[in-house]
Amino acid sequence: MTFQLLVLGGTHHVGRAVVEAALARGHEVSTLNRGLSRAPAPGVRALIADRTDPESVRRALGHQEWDAVIDTWAWAPGVVRDSARLLADRAGHYGYVSSRGVHRWPWPANADERAPLVDADSGGTDDADYAAAKRGGELAVLEAFGERALLARAGMILGPYEDVGRIPWWLRRLEKGGRVLAPAPAGTPLQYLDVRDLAGWMLDSARRGLGGAFTVTGPPGAITLGELLTTALEVTGFDTELVWTPPELLLRHGLPLGMEFGLLLPDGSVPSGMHDADVRAALAEGLTTRPLRETLADTWAWLQAEGDPAPRADAPSPDTWLDAAAEQRLLDQLSR
């Protein structure tokens, strides 16, 4: 029997990856969004509604039922609450793409799902505090679906369709060739997950009816920053030299490299717990990860095919992250 899936969103990054993975598995896929960003993928039943308008969502849903819902909403949690309430008796499972950001700061080292959480309101209308908005979304889903709710607390998500600007931004920098600054040390460990591995795990979990909260990212210590950037050069063939530079020197010149990977905060301090999360629970429930080389090669292929993603409305454009003239001045200084 065909598995029926409703994706709330479905056009950007995680949502797009979920839709494509579900179609590849032969699932019957519906999406609900405003219909403004992208045309629906072939085979998708597109439902058009503004999620901030509950009556609009109610009309779009009609009397349909689904085996599972996957929701990627990242703003006011009251929107998640309204959708979850509408779907509570019409879907068997609700997978919510949350974030490790729901944990109270500072994050403890080697933290798992039991780390302290921020305070939040499931009916909140404010999205200025990302952590509170995501935690509020979690509470909203739990209120409506209880044990049928899966909370996927994602870490750094890379891969095709990334609209945050981490890997696309670095690939475009490396594409220019010559010498580019990189934040030392190259051996800094990174923890990440390919968006397609997250999508696949959420679909597997939906089929199984897995509920609960899980930290969902790759194994700690699997790669380093140096491996990420040198592998990017290998898969693209760019003739670029990485100039590894101490973070304090970069900051002195107004070049906050490393912030894009969560390696330092705006004030220059180094956060704890960012790339050493305990993910044993998700791995035990079937989470798998693909090779870094595949993630980077496929991201570059996507960028070449579709061009750079539009900057997110809720974040500064990556074009403003680094002052090219300041970078060149420091490179000149380092070469003397």
Side-chain angles (χ1 to χ4, degrees), residues 214-234:
F214 292 87
T215 300
V216 186
T217 186
I223 69 161
T224 64
L225 177 59
E227 288 169 339
L228 186 147
L229 295 182
T230 55
T231 303
L233 290 176
E234 291 169 5

Side-chain angles (χ1 to χ4, degrees), residues 43 88 107 150 215 220 228 279 286 313:
W107 295 349
L150 175 70
T215 300
L228 186 147
V279 293

Side-chain angles (χ1 to χ4, degrees), residues 24 28 49 52 79 91 108 125 138 154 175 185 189 257 259 263 273 308 310 316 323 326 330:
E28 186 174 301
T52 64
V79 172
T125 59
E138 289 189 353
E175 184 183 19
L257 285 171
M259 281 183 58
L263 300 178
D308 294 346
D323 183 333
L330 181 52

Side-chain angles (χ1 to χ4, degrees), residues 11-333:
T11 57
H12 294 294
H13 204 193
V14 179
R16 181 176 173 183
V18 168
V19 168
E20 291 184 359
L23 290 172
R25 296 176 182 210
H27 298 338
E28 186 174 301
V29 181
S30 302
T31 59
L32 186 143
N33 54 58
R34 295 178 299 168
L36 301 177
S37 300
R38 292 176 54 83
V44 167
R45 181 177 186 184
L47 307 177
I48 305 301
D50 183 341
R51 286 192 64 187
T52 64
D53 179 356
E55 187 54 39
S56 169
V57 174
R58 187 186 303 275
R59 289 194 302 268
L61 295 178
H63 299 289
Q64 300 169 77
E65 296 183 354
W66 291 271
D67 295 303
V69 178
I70 293 181
D71 187 357
T72 62
W73 186 261
W75 297 279
V79 172
V80 178
R81 180 197 59 187
D82 293 340
S83 299
R85 286 178 176 177
L86 282 172
L87 291 161
D89 297 325
R90 301 164 56 181
H93 172 94
Y94 199 115
Y96 181 59
V97 181
S98 187
S99 165
R100 289 192 66 210
V102 299
H103 290 292
R104 192 177 303 156
W105 195 259
W107 295 349
N110 309 118
D112 63 9
E113 294 79 4
R114 296 168 295 182
L117 299 165
V118 300
D119 296 327
D121 175 9
S122 64
T125 59
D126 187 6
D127 56 24
D129 185 333
Y130 177 79
K134 274 297 191 183
R135 178 56 182 159
E138 289 189 353
L139 294 173
V141 175
L142 290 170
E143 289 170 5
F145 278 79
E147 294 180 352
R148 298 180 293 141
L150 175 70
L151 310 179
R153 293 174 179 159
M156 185 167 66
I157 306 172
L158 304 181
Y161 321 138
E162 185 207 323
D163 55 2
V164 179
R166 296 184 181 100
I167 299 304
W169 182 80
W170 266 101
L171 288 172
R172 291 304 189 194
R173 271 190 92 225
L174 297 175
E175 184 183 19
K176 296 174 182 177
R179 304 169 75 230
V180 300
L181 297 173
T188 302
L190 293 180
Q191 194 172 25
Y192 78 99
L193 189 65
D194 188 296
V195 67
R196 296 163 295 180
D197 294 328
L198 172 60
W201 183 77
M202 294 198 73
L203 290 171
D204 290 341
S205 299
R207 290 297 301 262
R208 295 168 49 212
L210 177 67
F214 292 87
T215 300
V216 186
T217 186
I223 69 161
T224 64
L225 177 59
E227 288 169 339
L228 186 147
L229 295 182
T230 55
T231 303
L233 290 176
E234 291 169 5
V235 301
T236 57
F238 298 148
D239 183 17
T240 304
E241 177 190 354
L242 296 168
V243 180
W244 295 97
T245 310
E248 57 274 15
L249 184 57
L250 291 169
L251 287 173
R252 197 180 309 150
H253 287 261
L255 300 166
L257 285 171
M259 281 183 58
E260 70 280 8
F261 293 126
L263 300 178
L264 74 161
L265 300 176
D267 64 2
S269 62
V270 177
S272 66
M274 193 67 80
H275 292 287
D276 61 3
D278 184 339
V279 293
R280 286 177 292 181
L283 294 175
E285 293 292 352
L287 177 67
T288 59
T289 58
R290 69 191 64 207
L292 171 66
R293 181 175 296 272
E294 181 178 338
T295 296
L296 296 175
D298 291 349
T299 303
W300 178 233
W302 159 66
L303 276 179
Q304 289 179 296
E306 297 189 14
D308 294 346
R312 288 171 59 116
D314 60 343
S317 168
D319 293 338
T320 67
W321 286 0
L322 201 68
D323 183 333
E327 179 182 23
Q328 188 57 55
R329 284 194 295 271
L330 181 52
L331 284 168
D332 293 342
Q333 177 180 317

